[in-house]
Amino acid sequence: MPPRGRPGPKPNPGAKFSRHRGDERPVTYLPPDGCPDDPPPLPPGRTWSEAEAEHWQELWTSPQADVWEDSAGLAVAALVVATSTILGGGRPSAQLIGEQRALMAELGLTPASMERMRWAVGEPPNVVRPD
């Protein structure tokens, strides 16, 4: 009977091109209390509802907002509108729901996207070096 398990050599985490190596990109630690900056004003061009204005404030005070560029404003506005449309009743389209999901991922608002971007909420761990 052939041996069980994966064929080939055993994993070598120390090898230069091993798929078993950990991700060596640095982790960006986001402030647990959220972004300390004031949220930008809502974009002009439409009348924003009170619920949309509150959602805008929530997003811009989230920990992820601390690392967003100024150009993220349009993506955040699109997310607010998509979420408002989905939650506003009626029957949202699958395309709109997909767009909302993509915007959330692009802005790092899902656990999977935070992991992909190497973002973590909290303080960096203290590195204790033995003497």
Coordinates of all heavy atoms in Angstrom, one line a residue, residues 44-103:
P44 N -20.9 66.8 -2.1 CA -22.1 67.5 -2.7 C -22.7 66.7 -3.9 O -22.1 65.8 -4.4 CB -21.5 68.8 -3.2 CG -20.0 68.5 -3.5 CD -19.6 67.4 -2.5
G45 N -23.8 67.1 -4.3 CA -24.4 66.5 -5.5 C -25.7 65.8 -5.2 O -26.4 65.3 -6.2
R46 N -26.0 65.5 -4.0 CA -27.3 64.8 -3.6 C -27.7 65.3 -2.2 O -26.9 65.8 -1.5 CB -27.1 63.3 -3.7 CG -26.4 62.7 -2.6 CD -26.2 61.2 -2.8 NE -27.3 60.4 -3.0 CZ -28.0 59.7 -2.0 NH1 -27.6 59.9 -0.8 NH2 -29.1 59.0 -2.3
T47 N -28.9 65.0 -1.9 CA -29.5 65.3 -0.6 C -29.3 64.0 0.2 O -29.8 62.9 -0.1 CB -30.9 65.6 -0.6 OG1 -31.1 66.8 -1.5 CG2 -31.5 66.0 0.7
W48 N -28.5 64.1 1.3 CA -28.2 62.9 2.2 C -29.2 62.8 3.3 O -29.6 63.8 3.9 CB -26.8 63.1 2.8 CG -25.7 63.1 1.7 CD1 -25.2 64.2 1.1 CD2 -25.0 62.0 1.2 NE1 -24.2 63.9 0.2 CE2 -24.1 62.5 0.2 CE3 -25.1 60.6 1.3 CZ2 -23.3 61.7 -0.5 CZ3 -24.3 59.8 0.6 CH2 -23.4 60.3 -0.3
S49 N -29.7 61.6 3.5 CA -30.7 61.4 4.6 C -29.9 61.4 5.9 O -28.7 61.3 6.0 CB -31.4 60.1 4.4 OG -30.5 59.0 4.7
E50 N -30.6 61.5 7.0 CA -30.0 61.5 8.3 C -29.3 60.2 8.6 O -28.2 60.1 9.1 CB -31.1 61.8 9.4 CG -30.5 61.9 10.8 CD -31.6 62.2 11.8 OE1 -32.5 63.0 11.5 OE2 -31.4 61.8 13.0
A51 N -30.0 59.1 8.2 CA -29.3 57.7 8.3 C -28.0 57.6 7.5 O -27.1 57.1 8.0 CB -30.3 56.7 7.9
E52 N -28.0 58.2 6.3 CA -26.8 58.2 5.5 C -25.7 59.0 6.1 O -24.5 58.6 6.1 CB -27.1 58.7 4.1 CG -28.0 57.7 3.3 CD -28.5 58.3 2.0 OE1 -28.6 59.5 1.9 OE2 -28.7 57.5 1.0
A53 N -26.1 60.1 6.7 CA -25.1 61.0 7.4 C -24.5 60.3 8.6 O -23.3 60.3 8.8 CB -25.7 62.3 7.8
E54 N -25.3 59.6 9.3 CA -24.8 58.8 10.5 C -23.9 57.7 10.0 O -22.9 57.4 10.7 CB -26.0 58.2 11.3 CG -26.8 59.2 12.1 CD -28.0 58.7 12.8 OE1 -28.1 57.4 12.9 OE2 -28.8 59.4 13.2
H55 N -24.3 57.0 8.9 CA -23.4 55.9 8.4 C -22.1 56.5 8.0 O -21.0 55.9 8.2 CB -24.2 55.2 7.3 CG -23.5 53.9 6.9 ND1 -23.7 53.4 5.6 CD2 -22.7 53.1 7.5 CE1 -23.0 52.2 5.5 NE2 -22.4 52.1 6.7
W56 N -22.1 57.6 7.3 CA -20.9 58.3 6.9 C -20.0 58.5 8.1 O -18.8 58.3 8.0 CB -21.3 59.6 6.2 CG -20.1 60.5 5.8 CD1 -19.6 61.5 6.5 CD2 -19.4 60.4 4.5 NE1 -18.6 62.1 5.8 CE2 -18.4 61.4 4.6 CE3 -19.4 59.6 3.4 CZ2 -17.5 61.7 3.5 CZ3 -18.5 59.8 2.4 CH2 -17.6 60.8 2.4
Q57 N -20.6 59.1 9.2 CA -19.8 59.4 10.4 C -19.2 58.1 11.0 O -18.0 58.0 11.4 CB -20.7 60.1 11.4 CG -21.1 61.4 11.0 CD -20.1 62.5 11.2 OE1 -18.9 62.2 11.1 NE2 -20.5 63.7 11.4
E58 N -20.0 57.0 11.0 CA -19.6 55.7 11.6 C -18.4 55.2 10.8 O -17.4 54.7 11.4 CB -20.7 54.7 11.6 CG -21.8 54.9 12.6 CD -22.9 54.0 12.4 OE1 -22.8 53.0 11.6 OE2 -23.9 54.2 13.1
L59 N -18.5 55.3 9.5 CA -17.4 54.7 8.6 C -16.1 55.5 8.8 O -15.0 55.0 8.9 CB -17.8 54.7 7.2 CG -18.9 53.7 6.8 CD1 -19.4 53.9 5.4 CD2 -18.3 52.3 6.9
W60 N -16.2 56.9 8.9 CA -15.0 57.7 9.0 C -14.4 57.7 10.4 O -13.3 58.3 10.6 CB -15.3 59.1 8.4 CG -15.3 59.2 7.0 CD1 -16.3 59.2 6.1 CD2 -14.1 59.1 6.1 NE1 -15.9 59.2 4.8 CE2 -14.6 59.2 4.8 CE3 -12.7 59.0 6.4 CZ2 -13.7 59.1 3.7 CZ3 -11.9 59.0 5.3 CH2 -12.4 59.1 4.0
T61 N -15.1 57.2 11.3 CA -14.6 57.1 12.7 C -14.2 55.6 13.0 O -13.8 55.4 14.1 CB -15.5 57.6 13.8 OG1 -16.8 56.9 13.7 CG2 -15.8 59.1 13.6
S62 N -14.3 54.8 12.0 CA -13.9 53.4 12.2 C -12.3 53.3 12.3 O -11.6 54.2 11.8 CB -14.4 52.5 11.1 OG -13.7 52.8 9.9
P63 N -11.8 52.2 12.8 CA -10.3 52.0 12.8 C -9.7 52.0 11.4 O -8.7 52.6 11.2 CB -10.1 50.7 13.5 CG -11.3 50.5 14.4 CD -12.5 51.2 13.6
Q64 N -10.5 51.5 10.4 CA -10.0 51.4 9.1 C -9.8 52.8 8.5 O -8.9 53.0 7.6 CB -10.9 50.6 8.2 CG -10.9 49.1 8.5 CD -11.9 48.8 9.6 OE1 -12.3 49.6 10.4 NE2 -12.3 47.5 9.7
A65 N -10.6 53.7 8.8 CA -10.5 55.1 8.3 C -9.2 55.7 8.6 O -8.8 56.7 7.9 CB -11.7 55.9 8.8
D66 N -8.5 55.3 9.6 CA -7.2 55.8 9.9 C -6.2 55.7 8.8 O -5.2 56.5 8.7 CB -6.7 55.2 11.2 CG -5.5 56.0 11.8 OD1 -5.7 57.2 12.1 OD2 -4.5 55.4 12.0
V67 N -6.3 54.7 8.0 CA -5.4 54.4 6.9 C -5.9 54.7 5.5 O -5.2 54.5 4.5 CB -4.8 53.0 6.9 CG1 -4.0 52.8 8.2 CG2 -5.9 52.0 6.9
W68 N -7.2 55.2 5.4 CA -7.7 55.5 4.1 C -7.1 56.8 3.6 O -6.8 57.7 4.3 CB -9.2 55.7 4.2 CG -10.0 54.5 4.4 CD1 -9.6 53.2 4.3 CD2 -11.4 54.4 4.9 NE1 -10.6 52.3 4.6 CE2 -11.7 53.1 5.0 CE3 -12.3 55.4 5.3 CZ2 -13.0 52.6 5.4 CZ3 -13.6 54.9 5.7 CH2 -13.9 53.6 5.7
E69 N -6.9 56.8 2.3 CA -6.4 58.1 1.6 C -7.6 59.0 1.5 O -8.8 58.6 1.6 CB -5.9 57.7 0.2 CG -4.8 56.7 0.3 CD -3.4 57.3 0.7 OE1 -3.2 58.5 0.5 OE2 -2.7 56.5 1.3
D70 N -7.3 60.2 1.1 CA -8.4 61.2 0.9 C -9.3 60.8 -0.3 O -10.5 61.1 -0.3 CB -7.8 62.6 0.6 CG -7.2 63.2 1.8 OD1 -7.5 62.8 3.0 OD2 -6.4 64.1 1.7
S71 N -8.7 60.0 -1.2 CA -9.5 59.6 -2.4 C -10.5 58.5 -2.1 O -11.3 58.2 -2.9 CB -8.5 59.1 -3.5 OG -7.7 58.0 -3.0
A72 N -10.5 58.0 -0.9 CA -11.4 57.0 -0.5 C -12.8 57.5 -0.3 O -13.8 56.8 -0.1 CB -11.0 56.3 0.8
G73 N -12.9 58.9 -0.2 CA -14.2 59.5 0.0 C -15.3 59.1 -1.0 O -16.5 58.8 -0.6
L74 N -15.0 58.9 -2.2 CA -16.0 58.5 -3.2 C -16.4 57.1 -3.0 O -17.6 56.7 -3.1 CB -15.5 58.7 -4.6 CG -15.3 60.2 -5.1 CD1 -14.7 60.2 -6.5 CD2 -16.7 60.9 -5.0
A75 N -15.5 56.2 -2.6 CA -15.8 54.8 -2.4 C -16.7 54.7 -1.1 O -17.6 53.9 -1.1 CB -14.5 54.0 -2.2
V76 N -16.4 55.5 -0.1 CA -17.2 55.5 1.1 C -18.6 56.0 0.8 O -19.6 55.5 1.3 CB -16.5 56.3 2.2 CG1 -17.4 56.4 3.5 CG2 -15.2 55.7 2.6
A77 N -18.7 57.1 0.0 CA -20.0 57.6 -0.4 C -20.8 56.6 -1.2 O -22.0 56.4 -0.9 CB -19.8 58.9 -1.2
A78 N -20.1 55.9 -2.1 CA -20.8 54.8 -2.8 C -21.3 53.7 -1.9 O -22.4 53.2 -2.1 CB -19.9 54.3 -3.9
L79 N -20.5 53.4 -0.9 CA -20.9 52.3 0.0 C -22.1 52.8 0.9 O -23.1 52.0 1.1 CB -19.7 52.0 1.0 CG -20.1 51.0 2.1 CD1 -20.5 49.7 1.5 CD2 -18.8 50.8 3.0
V80 N -22.1 54.1 1.3 CA -23.2 54.6 2.0 C -24.5 54.6 1.2 O -25.6 54.1 1.7 CB -22.9 56.0 2.5 CG1 -24.2 56.7 3.1 CG2 -21.8 56.0 3.6
V81 N -24.4 55.0 -0.1 CA -25.6 55.0 -0.9 C -26.1 53.5 -1.2 O -27.3 53.2 -1.1 CB -25.3 55.7 -2.3 CG1 -26.4 55.5 -3.2 CG2 -25.1 57.2 -2.0
A82 N -25.2 52.6 -1.4 CA -25.5 51.2 -1.7 C -26.2 50.6 -0.5 O -27.2 50.0 -0.6 CB -24.3 50.4 -2.1
T83 N -25.6 50.8 0.7 CA -26.2 50.3 1.9 C -27.5 50.9 2.2 O -28.5 50.2 2.6 CB -25.2 50.5 3.1 OG1 -24.0 50.0 2.8 CG2 -25.8 49.9 4.4
S84 N -27.7 52.2 2.0 CA -29.0 52.8 2.2 C -30.0 52.3 1.3 O -31.2 52.0 1.7 CB -28.8 54.3 2.0 OG -30.0 55.0 2.1
T85 N -29.7 52.0 0.0 CA -30.6 51.5 -0.9 C -31.0 50.1 -0.6 O -32.2 49.7 -0.6 CB -30.0 51.5 -2.4 OG1 -29.6 52.9 -2.7 CG2 -30.9 51.0 -3.4
I86 N -30.0 49.3 -0.2 CA -30.3 47.9 0.2 C -31.2 47.8 1.4 O -32.2 47.1 1.5 CB -29.0 47.1 0.4 CG1 -28.3 46.9 -0.9 CG2 -29.3 45.8 1.1 CD1 -26.9 46.4 -0.8
L87 N -30.9 48.6 2.4 CA -31.7 48.6 3.7 C -33.0 49.4 3.6 O -33.8 49.3 4.5 CB -30.8 49.1 4.8 CG -29.6 48.3 5.2 CD1 -28.8 49.0 6.3 CD2 -29.9 46.9 5.5
G88 N -33.1 50.2 2.6 CA -34.3 51.1 2.5 C -35.6 50.4 2.1 O -36.6 51.1 1.9
G89 N -35.5 49.2 1.9 CA -36.8 48.5 1.4 C -36.7 48.2 0.0 O -35.8 48.5 -0.7
G90 N -37.8 47.7 -0.5 CA -37.8 47.3 -1.9 C -37.0 46.0 -2.1 O -36.7 45.3 -1.2
R91 N -36.7 45.8 -3.4 CA -35.9 44.6 -3.8 C -34.6 45.0 -4.4 O -34.6 45.3 -5.6 CB -36.8 43.8 -4.7 CG -36.2 42.4 -5.0 CD -37.1 41.7 -5.9 NE -36.4 40.5 -6.3 CZ -36.9 39.3 -6.1 NH1 -38.1 39.1 -5.5 NH2 -36.2 38.2 -6.5
P92 N -33.5 45.0 -3.7 CA -32.2 45.4 -4.3 C -31.7 44.4 -5.3 O -32.0 43.2 -5.1 CB -31.3 45.5 -3.1 CG -31.9 44.6 -2.0 CD -33.4 44.6 -2.3
S93 N -31.0 44.8 -6.3 CA -30.5 43.9 -7.3 C -29.3 43.2 -6.8 O -28.6 43.6 -5.9 CB -30.1 44.7 -8.5 OG -29.0 45.5 -8.3
A94 N -29.0 42.0 -7.3 CA -27.8 41.3 -7.0 C -26.6 42.1 -7.3 O -25.6 42.0 -6.6 CB -27.8 39.9 -7.7
Q95 N -26.7 42.8 -8.4 CA -25.5 43.7 -8.8 C -25.2 44.7 -7.7 O -24.0 44.9 -7.4 CB -25.8 44.4 -10.1 CG -24.7 45.2 -10.6 CD -25.0 45.9 -11.9 OE1 -26.1 45.7 -12.5 NE2 -24.0 46.6 -12.5
L96 N -26.2 45.3 -7.1 CA -26.0 46.3 -6.1 C -25.4 45.7 -4.8 O -24.5 46.2 -4.2 CB -27.3 47.0 -5.7 CG -27.2 48.1 -4.6 CD1 -26.3 49.2 -5.1 CD2 -28.6 48.6 -4.3
I97 N -25.9 44.5 -4.5 CA -25.4 43.8 -3.3 C -23.9 43.4 -3.6 O -23.1 43.5 -2.7 CB -26.3 42.6 -3.0 CG1 -27.7 43.0 -2.5 CG2 -25.6 41.7 -1.9 CD1 -28.7 41.9 -2.4
G98 N -23.6 43.0 -4.8 CA -22.2 42.6 -5.1 C -21.3 43.8 -5.0 O -20.2 43.8 -4.6
E99 N -21.9 45.0 -5.5 CA -21.1 46.2 -5.4 C -20.8 46.6 -4.0 O -19.7 47.0 -3.7 CB -21.8 47.3 -6.2 CG -21.0 48.6 -6.3 CD -19.8 48.4 -7.2 OE1 -19.7 47.6 -8.0 OE2 -18.8 49.2 -6.9
Q100 N -21.8 46.5 -3.2 CA -21.7 46.8 -1.7 C -20.6 45.9 -1.1 O -19.7 46.4 -0.4 CB -23.0 46.7 -1.0 CG -22.8 47.1 0.5 CD -23.8 46.4 1.4 OE1 -24.3 45.3 1.1 NE2 -24.1 47.1 2.5
R101 N -20.6 44.6 -1.4 CA -19.7 43.7 -0.9 C -18.3 44.0 -1.4 O -17.3 44.0 -0.6 CB -20.0 42.3 -1.3 CG -19.2 41.2 -0.7 CD -19.6 39.8 -1.1 NE -21.0 39.6 -0.6 CZ -22.0 39.0 -1.4 NH1 -21.8 38.7 -2.6 NH2 -23.1 38.8 -0.8
A102 N -18.1 44.4 -2.7 CA -16.8 44.8 -3.2 C -16.3 46.0 -2.6 O -15.1 46.1 -2.3 CB -16.9 44.9 -4.7
L103 N -17.1 47.0 -2.3 CA -16.7 48.3 -1.7 C -16.3 48.0 -0.3 O -15.3 48.6 0.2 CB -17.8 49.3 -1.7 CG -18.1 49.9 -3.1 CD1 -19.5 50.7 -3.0 CD2 -17.0 50.9 -3.4

